[in-house]
Amino acid sequence: MELPASNRMEKVINCFKKRPDAVARLICFPWAGGGSIHYARWGNVLSSSVEVFAVKLPGRESRAKEPFFQSMQQIVDEVIGVLLPMLKEKPFALFGHRYDENKAFNCHFLHTFSLFSILIHAASFISVLCLHFSSFGAFTSFAVADALKKLHNLEPVHIFLSGASAPYSETRITAPKRSELSDDDFLKWLISIGGTPPELLANPEVLKLFLPALKADLHVVENYRCNKPDHPFLSCPVTCFDGKDDIPHDLQAWKDITSGDFTVRMLDGSHFYLKESGNEKIILDYVTKHLETSEMDYL
């Protein structure tokens, strides 16, 4: 039995601050293995002109008992199925990248408790994994934008991407697949690439709590295929953010998706650049500035 529209919305979208009079909506997609809470909190930070919708996927948070999605198409179908009426109402933008979850756990007093300390390190570790897993959020943003344009002739007023090569770039296509490894082999691979906190190595049970969502999202990313566009299918601006000291990403390949403005913003730091003082504020200020002027371009 299908849920009423309001229930489906609550199931799939986390919105901390409802703003019916907002000029535009910002749709945020989670990083690999991640949830919606961090992005939903942006609704409390951004100006009243922007309403933030953070996407909740199966297998985590309030949807923990639901099976993980196995394909990008499932994500696209669900998100568009729920949001389409609202996407027709007013300008919207898409935001997707990998993110450092450690900020969500950055409470100093928790370090006095061993299990909490382990979880804090685990959260930091997950953000390292997202670097190796490519950008789940960026790919879902791209796939949703592609489907909206092809099926409904709708496009965002802006796409914001971070820390990811384009899905059709050679850098991404040649990356080895890891999602089908057994848990033991998967953990061995994680250890081999470095960055695993010793607390987690001593507590594999804790680490294994994080593996299902990580492997499920990695499976989606690794099996997502799309061809390089023969010509730009969007006309909206696209902005790519990245850390100056991060490993190189093929950001310029994203230029192929739009005939509109294309901008690359390099921020201080590596793959944890959003932990650097002021970087998140720079991004949020940038997003706000562009969305507040989006209604004129949308009309």
Side-chain angles (χ1 to χ4, degrees), residues 141-285:
S141 295
F142 169 81
V144 167
D146 186 29
L148 284 171
K149 185 64 175 182
K150 289 178 178 176
L151 300 178
H152 305 284
N153 198 31
L154 280 175
E155 65 176 275
V157 293
H158 209 119
I159 298 180
F160 304 96
L161 305 167
S162 177
S165 300
Y168 44 80
S169 70
E170 191 68 22
T171 302
R172 180 259 168 167
I173 293 172
T174 57
K177 290 189 176 184
R178 309 288 185 180
S179 61
E180 296 177 3
L181 294 174
S182 67
D183 284 356
D184 287 341
D185 287 341
F186 193 77
L187 288 175
K188 289 177 182 176
W189 170 65
L190 296 182
I191 294 168
S192 72
I193 62 178
T196 309
E199 291 88 345
L200 288 181
L201 295 180
N203 294 272
E205 300 84 4
V206 175
L207 181 56
K208 285 182 180 179
L209 293 175
F210 295 94
L211 289 185
L214 285 168
K215 292 182 72 174
D217 291 350
L218 178 58
H219 173 82
V220 169
V221 168
E222 289 181 339
N223 290 280
Y224 176 56
R225 291 288 180 268
C226 65
N227 296 321
K228 179 180 177 180
D230 293 329
H231 52 80
F233 62 91
L234 297 172
S235 60
C236 67
V238 173
T239 299
C240 292
F241 301 101
D242 212 352
K244 293 177 181 177
D245 301 319
D246 201 348
I247 63 170
H249 296 111
D250 189 3
L251 302 178
Q252 290 297 322
W254 289 107
K255 190 173 184 179
D256 296 324
I257 72 174
T258 187
S259 60
D261 293 340
F262 177 76
T263 305
V264 173
R265 292 288 303 269
M266 302 301 291
L267 304 177
D268 292 335
S270 57
H271 53 271
F272 294 111
Y273 66 89
L274 280 179
K275 286 179 64 179
E276 301 296 330
S277 176
N279 277 349
E280 185 175 46
K281 184 178 186 304
I282 290 172
I283 288 180
L284 293 180
D285 287 347

Side-chain angles (χ1 to χ4, degrees), residues 74-212:
Q74 288 179 290
I75 298 174
V76 170
D77 289 346
E78 180 175 71
V79 170
I80 293 180
V82 168
L83 290 182
L84 185 60
M86 278 170 286
L87 298 181
K88 295 178 178 179
E89 290 177 354
K90 63 179 64 177
F92 66 93
L94 306 179
F95 192 106
H97 68 155
R98 53 134 179 92
Y99 191 76
D100 173 21
E101 279 189 293
N102 190 53
K103 293 190 73 172
F105 293 85
N106 194 18
C107 301
H108 178 73
F109 72 91
L110 292 182
H111 285 279
T112 60
F113 300 93
S114 58
L115 178 58
F116 285 163
S117 180
I118 291 169
L119 292 175
I120 289 169
H121 286 296
S124 178
F125 178 50
I126 287 173
S127 60
V128 178
L129 301 187
C130 294
L131 170 66
H132 295 278
F133 289 174
S134 187
S135 185
F136 182 74
F139 285 10
T140 50
S141 295
F142 169 81
V144 167
D146 186 29
L148 284 171
K149 185 64 175 182
K150 289 178 178 176
L151 300 178
H152 305 284
N153 198 31
L154 280 175
E155 65 176 275
V157 293
H158 209 119
I159 298 180
F160 304 96
L161 305 167
S162 177
S165 300
Y168 44 80
S169 70
E170 191 68 22
T171 302
R172 180 259 168 167
I173 293 172
T174 57
K177 290 189 176 184
R178 309 288 185 180
S179 61
E180 296 177 3
L181 294 174
S182 67
D183 284 356
D184 287 341
D185 287 341
F186 193 77
L187 288 175
K188 289 177 182 176
W189 170 65
L190 296 182
I191 294 168
S192 72
I193 62 178
T196 309
E199 291 88 345
L200 288 181
L201 295 180
N203 294 272
E205 300 84 4
V206 175
L207 181 56
K208 285 182 180 179
L209 293 175
F210 295 94
L211 289 185

Side-chain angles (χ1 to χ4, degrees), residues 4-15 18 56 62-63 82:
S6 60
N7 292 39
R8 294 201 308 273
M9 177 72 176
E10 185 177 335
K11 173 183 173 181
V12 177
I13 298 298
N14 197 347
C15 179
K18 297 187 186 303
K56 287 189 289 185
S62 61
R63 306 183 67 183
V82 168

